[in-house]
Amino acid sequence: EDEQIVAEIMGRRFFPDLITHKAWEGFHFAGHEIRITEATDCYGAVVWPSALVLCYFLETNSKQCNLVDKNVIEIGAGTGLVSIVASLLGAFVTATDLPELLGNLQHNVLQNTKQKCKHQPCVKELSWGVDLEKNFPRSSCHFDYIMAADVVYYHPFLDELLLTFDHLCKNDTVILWAMKFRLEKENQFVDRFQALFDLEMISNFPSLNIVLYKAMRKGRMKA
């Protein structure tokens, strides 16, 4: 079953018939052909399999996870694929990442959502743990969903990432987080994450070493 679903997920990717001066990859999600411009010299500007797993879940569970008119933020949006799919499914999306990635992110989001979405997504800078209250004040920012794909890997900002999850998450916010396990450090982050949030594994793909989690603030999952 794992291999069958993984084949379906990876089958959503396609490549151009002709090589052009600008490298891009194509994907089929939410009834649209999505073209993503990548930069191979930067981790944040490449589509990783975790993003495809999350997009596949959003599309195939659109009734249980209805995004229409929902307020969604993606942290570590990278190329923007998850934000684009969420937008095409009817959400109002804020796609965030580091300042050096915003140009490519904005290009992809605009190219794939203009005049195709109910709500035009916005792109905003978010450096984990930095000026959170200034840029995303708790009093006025309310997100129905926080989405993240492959944000946990060997980098020195895991404390800041956890702080960002904590700041953005209200009592009724749902976190959808696709994670690829690589090193023990990732397991340790999950343990720390669970000190603040209830965590439920909703999909597991051993052949990709990727798990898709749903999370809410402690005590809110059952409620």
Side-chain angles (χ1 to χ4, degrees):
E1 184 181 2
D2 169 50
E3 292 180 358
Q4 183 178 350
I5 297 176
V6 166
E8 164 64 17
I9 293 172
M10 295 305 161
R12 300 303 184 92
R13 170 185 272 150
F14 68 93
F15 300 94
D17 294 328
L18 299 174
I19 303 300
T20 63
H21 69 283
K22 183 175 284 189
W24 61 270
E25 279 189 86
F27 303 88
H28 291 289
F29 285 109
H32 290 268
E33 178 182 295
I34 301 167
R35 293 191 177 192
I36 296 293
T37 301
E38 299 180 319
T40 54
D41 59 346
C42 179
Y43 283 134
V46 175
V47 177
W48 298 100
S50 294
L52 273 66
V53 167
L54 183 47
C55 290
Y56 181 81
F57 172 82
L58 295 177
E59 181 190 77
T60 56
N61 292 272
S62 58
K63 290 185 178 179
Q64 303 94 310
C65 181
N66 186 355
L67 296 183
V68 177
D69 297 331
K70 296 297 193 300
N71 202 11
V72 172
I73 185 168
E74 184 186 4
I75 60 175
T79 61
L81 180 61
V82 172
S83 288
I84 292 164
V85 172
S87 298
L88 293 171
L89 291 171
F92 181 84
V93 177
T94 302
T96 70
D97 215 313
L98 296 169
E100 59 266 29
L101 296 174
L102 296 187
N104 189 59
L105 176 58
Q106 179 71 65
H107 168 78
N108 285 327
V109 167
L110 189 62
Q111 176 177 265
N112 291 286
T113 62
K114 190 175 182 181
Q115 298 182 332
K116 298 177 183 178
C117 297
K118 185 175 183 180
H119 308 287
Q120 186 60 38
C122 68
V123 172
K124 191 171 180 179
E125 177 185 342
L126 173 53
S127 300
W128 298 336
V130 178
D131 293 332
L132 293 174
E133 183 58 31
K134 175 184 175 182
N135 296 324
F136 299 90
R138 290 178 186 268
S139 59
S140 58
C141 287
H142 182 282
F143 297 104
D144 299 296
Y145 290 92
I146 300 170
M147 297 186 184
D150 221 2
V151 292
V152 179
Y153 51 91
Y154 189 73
H155 61 71
F157 305 108
L158 292 177
D159 290 343
E160 291 81 358
L161 174 59
L162 187 59
L163 183 65
T164 302
F165 273 124
D166 185 42
H167 180 84
L168 296 174
C169 188
K170 296 289 198 295
N171 281 342
D172 58 347
T173 302
V174 175
I175 298 171
L176 293 175
W177 167 28
M179 175 171 168
K180 182 176 179 67
F181 285 84
R182 299 179 179 88
L183 301 167
E184 181 60 30
K185 202 165 187 177
E186 282 97 18
N187 295 322
Q188 295 172 4
F189 182 86
V190 172
D191 292 339
R192 294 176 56 208
F193 186 89
Q194 289 185 95
L196 298 174
F197 304 99
D198 288 323
L199 198 60
E200 175 188 349
M201 183 177 69
I202 52 178
S203 296
N204 183 24
F205 302 101
S207 61
L208 296 174
N209 216 21
I210 292 174
V211 173
L212 179 60
Y213 290 117
K214 172 185 176 183
M216 295 187 75
R217 283 209 172 274
K218 280 285 188 185
R220 299 297 303 177
M221 192 82 84
K222 293 180 181 178

